[in-house]
Amino acid sequence: MIPDPVIQPALVSYDREQVIELIRTQSPEEIRQRLRAGDFDQVLEPEGRTLLDELLSAWIQRALGPLSLRDAMLVDPYRGRQVYGLLCAIHVHRRFEVPSALAVHLPAAPTDLAALPPLTDRPELMALVAQAEQDGLVLAWQAQRYDFAPPGNLLELIPPTPPPYRDELRFEQPTGLRRWIAITLVVSGVALLIIPILLGHIPEHPAGWPLALLTLGLMIGIKSGPLGYVGAGCFWVVANMPVFRHGSFPISFWPDIPLVIVGLILLGCDRRVRAMWRFVRSQFRRRCDVTGTD
């Protein structure tokens, strides 16, 4: 591991809020990925990038990679202090090197300064203080480039709540008794529709019992809820309206449009029906990908 380079004592201004946001929202894996992508090349020296990469890799090897940086710092405080210091160094805006004769006025250990100690009226120091006040930065005293005082409220820096998990149902093929009931109903509906036609007789109401059995078999097969049954019932009622016959003009169907809309809404509210449609669309897309058709 590369040791922190010793430098002349210095006062720096850095964006502490950005660092806190990083340790709350980023994980070691994400920071290492950004580091290797070159995000910090302009603000961190080569030895600092190497040290940060080694620290993050050690955390990842200890299975701390997916955790937030805050959690990893709690588990491994030694490396946590070093990682925190390197992240602070990334967000340093200005640096003022303090002469050794004046360093006696500063605290013995690196710390964030709420007020500037009585040093001397130097233009560089005044510019650093003015910029920190204007940009909302924090003044810090350090004896080494990557040594910053760790946050004292680490336990309070709770990571943001993850988005709620969408518990979407997945369509499952019917099995067991439900499968055989669905097959029986579908076969019965097809038989009631085809057998009379084969015997030379066209059913007076082809959408009556045949469609009812087919729809009921489908609803049982997908294990639909009450909304799905009512929505399917709306379509069955529309199909059995007196105007719903061969040779009818399309304009004569307009009184049934509200019932069709209600049926669509009810079917859309049923989770099992939505899961079935997602399954059908996925199968259709898979077939298009295999065949290369549009």
Side-chain angles (χ1 to χ4, degrees):
M1 182 176 295
I2 300 176
D4 293 347
V6 178
I7 63 170
Q8 188 174 4
L11 282 170
V12 299
S13 62
Y14 74 104
D15 193 340
R16 188 175 186 273
E17 294 298 326
Q18 288 292 332
V19 179
I20 295 299
E21 190 65 16
L22 275 182
I23 67 176
R24 286 183 63 249
T25 61
Q26 300 284 294
S27 68
E29 290 177 344
E30 293 169 335
I31 293 295
R32 191 179 72 169
Q33 183 177 1
R34 292 179 58 185
L35 178 68
R36 293 183 175 180
D39 287 2
F40 309 130
D41 287 356
Q42 301 299 321
V43 291
L44 201 60
E45 298 83 356
E47 62 271 16
R49 296 196 297 270
T50 302
L51 176 59
L52 182 58
D53 190 284
E54 291 179 357
L55 294 170
L56 296 174
S57 298
W59 272 349
I60 293 173
Q61 291 174 0
R62 294 186 57 187
L64 301 177
L67 301 180
S68 67
L69 287 167
R70 174 257 193 186
D71 294 338
M73 291 171 63
L74 288 172
V75 175
D76 188 351
Y78 175 72
R79 289 191 180 95
R81 184 184 180 101
Q82 293 178 292
V83 170
Y84 180 78
L86 288 161
L87 295 178
C88 290
I90 292 172
H91 292 83
V92 167
H93 287 242
R94 298 188 67 172
R95 179 185 303 275
F96 174 76
E97 294 186 351
V98 179
S100 301
L102 300 177
V104 294
H105 298 284
L106 292 168
T111 183
D112 292 339
L113 301 174
L116 188 66
L119 293 178
T120 182
D121 294 335
R122 296 198 175 191
E124 302 91 344
L125 179 58
M126 294 300 102
L128 182 143
V129 174
Q131 184 217 23
E133 292 179 352
Q134 179 180 354
D135 299 339
L137 305 177
V138 175
L139 290 176
W141 150 249
Q142 57 176 187
Q144 292 180 329
R145 187 176 298 275
Y146 307 135
D147 199 5
F148 286 79
N153 59 339
L154 196 59
L155 288 174
E156 301 175 7
L157 304 179
I158 302 174
T161 305
Y165 174 70
R166 296 183 62 186
D167 187 16
E168 292 186 349
L169 292 176
R170 297 184 60 184
F171 175 72
E172 299 178 357
Q173 298 285 349
T175 57
L177 181 61
R178 181 162 58 92
R179 179 173 181 268
W180 286 109
I181 292 176
I183 291 175
T184 302
L185 290 172
V186 171
V187 171
S188 300
V190 173
L192 287 177
L193 183 63
I194 293 179
I195 291 177
I197 296 177
L198 294 177
L199 296 177
H201 174 68
I202 297 178
E204 183 179 355
H205 297 289
W209 280 106
L211 181 60
L213 294 175
L214 289 170
T215 303
L216 185 61
L218 175 63
M219 294 294 105
I220 292 177
I222 68 174
K223 204 174 181 180
S224 174
L227 294 178
Y229 282 99
V230 177
C234 292
F235 282 93
W236 181 83
V237 171
V238 170
N240 284 274
M241 290 291 184
V243 297
F244 204 87
R245 293 290 182 270
H246 175 71
S248 300
F249 292 101
I251 195 173
S252 61
F253 298 148
W254 72 266
D256 302 328
I257 293 179
L259 192 57
V260 172
I261 295 175
V262 172
L264 287 173
I265 294 175
L266 292 174
L267 287 173
C269 292
D270 192 292
R271 299 174 65 198
R272 302 282 182 177
V273 175
R274 294 200 305 270
M276 180 194 68
W277 278 115
R278 287 195 297 269
F279 174 78
V280 172
R281 288 197 301 268
S282 66
Q283 295 300 312
F284 182 76
R285 293 195 193 99
R286 184 180 303 174
R287 182 178 179 182
C288 291
D289 293 340
V290 172
T291 59
T293 57
D294 188 0

